[in-house]
Amino acid sequence: MKIRSASCWSFNSKKMTHDLIVIGTGPGGYVCAIRAAQLGLKVAVVEKRATHGGTCLNVGCIPSKALLHASELFDEASHGFAGMGIDVAPKLNLAKMLAFKDEGVKGNVDGVAYLLKKNKVEHFHGTGRVLGPGKVEVTFINGEKKTLEAKAVVIATGSDVAKLPGVAIDEKTVVSSTGALTLPSVPKHLVVVGAGVIGLELGSVWRRLGAKVTVVEFLDRIIPGMDLEVARSFQRILEKQGFAFKLASKVTKVEGSPAGHKITVEPAAGGAAETLEADVVLVAIGRVPFTEGLGLTEAGIALDERRRIKVDAHFATNMPGVYAIGDVIAGPMLAHKAEDEGVAVAEILAGQAGHVNYDVIPSVIYTAPEVASVGKTEEELKAAGIGYNAGKFSFTANGRAKVNKTTDGFVKVLADAATDRILGVHMIGPHVGELIAEAAVIMEFGGSAEDLARTCHAHPTLSEAVKEAALAVAKRPIHM
């Protein structure tokens, strides 16, 4: 596709209200709008929520991190402080913890509203529907409708909770990730359906606060798609913390009763069923693109077999002037992936060369310990027949982790056997969600394990484990 500047678009400019209309103000949408405004485009956003920020800021990434942080401190105060000579007896005030979470959400969504206003982005609170090239119909809460016209439209409506067939979510005792953020009391037994990122993070929150947690997963492993060695280590750590796992299993029925729920679980491959009893069930089997109600089929915009919007290498759909980014297109459903795509499409629309490097999209699980990954896994490299060398370093040999008694986990660096270029980095351990950025930076510049190994790291820091893992690629770690 030839990149064209905004001034070259061929729509009737006399009818145009804006250069760009963005439907959805999650991380992809609001970032796209702000970047386009920085580049001189007149931008409007359409958002169905009363607040900006999408699922991530309102009922996803941000509130879950607030509860993960608070519950981790509660757990540490309950079980870890005494060993450091701090004698306390913490008492849980769940209502206040939830208020702490809500305060953090408000600060973030208010911040996005301020940024949109600062960049002179006009906002319309209502649902958007694509009528055709450059045309978006907005339906407001009172039922009134307004048609906006622009040179370009970007669809950034994100994703929705994937439903479990036959199981009704009431967001009270059978909850999605949304309801799991607002439970009024700590469950006695929480059954989590799905051993992915969302289920394990929210399961961690409620386990720390006192719930018994059982995770049911259809596959024979947890966190599918991430490095298998990391996944196995992670499962052992979670089991040590109190998680129970039923892998290669499926939930076939959830029956409610005054005493709680009865969950029927069967082996994925077939076999005898068993029944679990729980007062709360969290359905966390993934997310699906939010493409319903946008008028896509009626407008003739092509979708794939998973109801994702088909786009080319420059995020353009088959309809002239209509683009899509984030969870509604192929690729990992990650906020930062959507942000990068938002910047890229804004720059393309302004005549620049926007680009996203999909080989360097980090992924993080914010449990304790954290899990982080970027690039290829060992399984992917083996499947592709790519020769590689692996270097691994345990946090048990890291001075900072040892003195802080946070030694669970390791760092693994995978480098091309012929060129030494880093192909993937995988970590489980303390604060690895921050450490993974170092790996992403060096991979973005095509760096080698030797480059990383010869970079001076401050002592004593957790980041030294990254350097040592890079040294281990050449089998010369110092502290192992």
Side-chain angles (χ1 to χ4, degrees):
M1 170 185 163
K2 183 179 179 182
I3 300 173
R4 297 176 293 178
S5 68
S7 61
C8 293
W9 290 327
S10 59
F11 301 111
N12 186 347
S13 60
K14 291 181 180 179
K15 293 184 178 181
M16 299 302 166
T17 55
H18 300 84
D19 294 313
L20 171 63
I21 299 168
V22 181
I23 306 176
T25 58
Y30 84 74
V31 167
C32 176
I34 290 171
R35 182 62 184 132
Q38 289 176 342
L39 292 167
L41 277 63
K42 185 180 179 183
V43 184
V45 293
V46 180
E47 173 55 55
K48 65 179 181 180
R49 294 180 189 271
T51 54
H52 297 295
T55 295
C56 180
L57 272 65
N58 286 277
V59 292
C61 323
I62 294 300
S64 64
K65 300 312 163 284
L67 290 183
L68 282 159
H69 174 64
S71 64
E72 185 176 347
L73 293 179
F74 177 77
D75 191 58
E76 183 73 359
S78 301
H79 305 291
F81 277 12
M84 293 182 277
I86 306 171
D87 293 327
V88 296
K91 181 180 178 182
L92 176 64
N93 184 332
L94 182 57
K96 200 164 186 178
M97 186 178 288
L98 294 177
F100 163 79
K101 176 257 301 179
D102 292 339
E103 182 183 359
V105 169
K106 186 177 187 304
N108 276 273
V109 298
D110 286 354
V112 172
Y114 166 76
L115 290 172
L116 291 171
K117 183 178 180 180
K118 175 186 174 185
N119 287 277
K120 297 180 173 57
V121 175
E122 189 174 4
H123 65 271
F124 296 88
H125 283 296
T127 57
R129 183 181 179 88
V130 179
L131 298 180
K135 287 188 178 183
V136 174
E137 179 185 77
V138 181
T139 302
F140 300 100
I141 295 174
N142 62 6
E144 293 182 5
K145 296 183 179 183
K146 180 182 178 68
T147 299
L148 306 176
E149 295 192 41
K151 297 172 184 175
V153 174
V154 171
I155 301 169
T157 47
S159 59
D160 198 3
V161 174
K163 306 298 193 299
L164 187 63
V167 177
I169 294 174
D170 60 16
E171 299 297 14
K172 294 178 181 178
T173 57
V174 180
V175 299
S176 69
S177 55
T178 301
L181 295 168
T182 58
L183 295 178
S185 61
V186 179
K188 294 181 178 64
H189 185 195
L190 171 67
V191 168
V192 179
V193 186
V197 176
I198 295 171
L200 297 182
E201 285 188 351
L202 292 174
S204 289
V205 168
W206 295 107
R207 186 211 59 79
R208 293 170 191 161
L209 299 181
K212 174 185 175 182
V213 176
T214 301
V215 180
V216 182
E217 169 57 46
F218 185 81
L219 300 177
D220 61 357
R221 55 164 293 177
I222 68 172
I223 52 172
M226 297 196 82
D227 183 86
L228 184 57
E229 184 181 13
V230 168
R232 287 171 174 166
S233 177
F234 189 32
Q235 182 180 337
R236 289 193 295 269
I237 291 169
L238 291 176
E239 287 173 336
K240 189 168 63 174
Q241 292 176 357
F243 274 74
F245 290 94
K246 292 188 177 296
L247 304 181
S249 301
K250 60 183 177 181
V251 171
T252 57
K253 187 187 298 183
V254 175
E255 296 177 292
S257 70
H261 292 280
K262 291 185 177 181
I263 302 99
T264 303
V265 179
E266 299 178 4
E274 64 175 312
T275 301
L276 303 177
E277 294 188 1
D279 44 337
V280 177
V281 180
L282 166 58
V283 178
I285 59 172
R287 298 186 66 81
V288 294
F290 191 90
T291 52
E292 301 303 317
L294 295 171
L296 304 181
T297 302
E298 296 87 338
I301 294 175
L303 305 176
D304 68 13
E305 70 284 353
R306 294 171 59 180
R307 303 290 297 171
R308 298 175 301 192
I309 300 172
K310 290 183 179 181
V311 295
D312 65 13
H314 296 286
F315 310 102
T317 71
N318 62 311
M319 176 172 286
V322 178
Y323 301 78
I325 60 171
D327 289 1
V328 295
I329 68 172
M333 288 183 170
L334 297 169
H336 43 283
K337 175 256 196 187
E339 288 184 4
D340 275 13
E341 290 174 340
V343 170
V345 75
E347 292 177 349
I348 288 169
L349 294 176
Q352 299 184 4
H355 174 70
V356 177
N357 182 359
Y358 290 102
D359 289 330
V360 187
I361 302 287
S363 179
V364 180
I365 304 174
Y366 297 89
T367 47
E370 293 180 341
V371 178
S373 175
V374 63
K376 301 296 184 183
T377 65
E378 285 201 68
E379 293 71 42
E380 288 172 331
L381 293 175
K382 288 174 182 175
I386 298 172
Y388 68 94
N389 295 317
K392 182 178 167 184
F393 190 82
S394 172
F395 279 106
T396 58
N398 174 267
R400 183 71 181 275
K402 188 176 292 187
V403 75
N404 289 351
K405 298 189 183 301
T406 54
T407 55
D408 281 335
F410 58 87
V411 177
K412 179 163 64 174
V413 174
L414 307 176
D416 189 283
T419 66
D420 197 41
R421 181 173 179 169
I422 296 175
L423 303 174
V425 179
H426 309 279
M427 312 176 182
I428 178 169
H431 304 292
V432 297
E434 305 295 336
L435 297 183
I436 200 65
E438 175 181 9
V441 168
I442 195 164
M443 289 175 65
E444 191 65 46
F445 285 90
S448 66
E450 183 72 9
D451 292 328
L452 184 53
R454 291 193 177 275
T455 300
C456 187
H457 287 63
H459 175 77
T461 62
L462 298 171
S463 69
E464 289 176 285
V466 182
K467 175 178 180 173
E468 292 274 5
L471 284 164
V473 170
K475 299 183 170 45
R476 63 178 205 275
I478 301 298
H479 292 93
M480 180 68 78

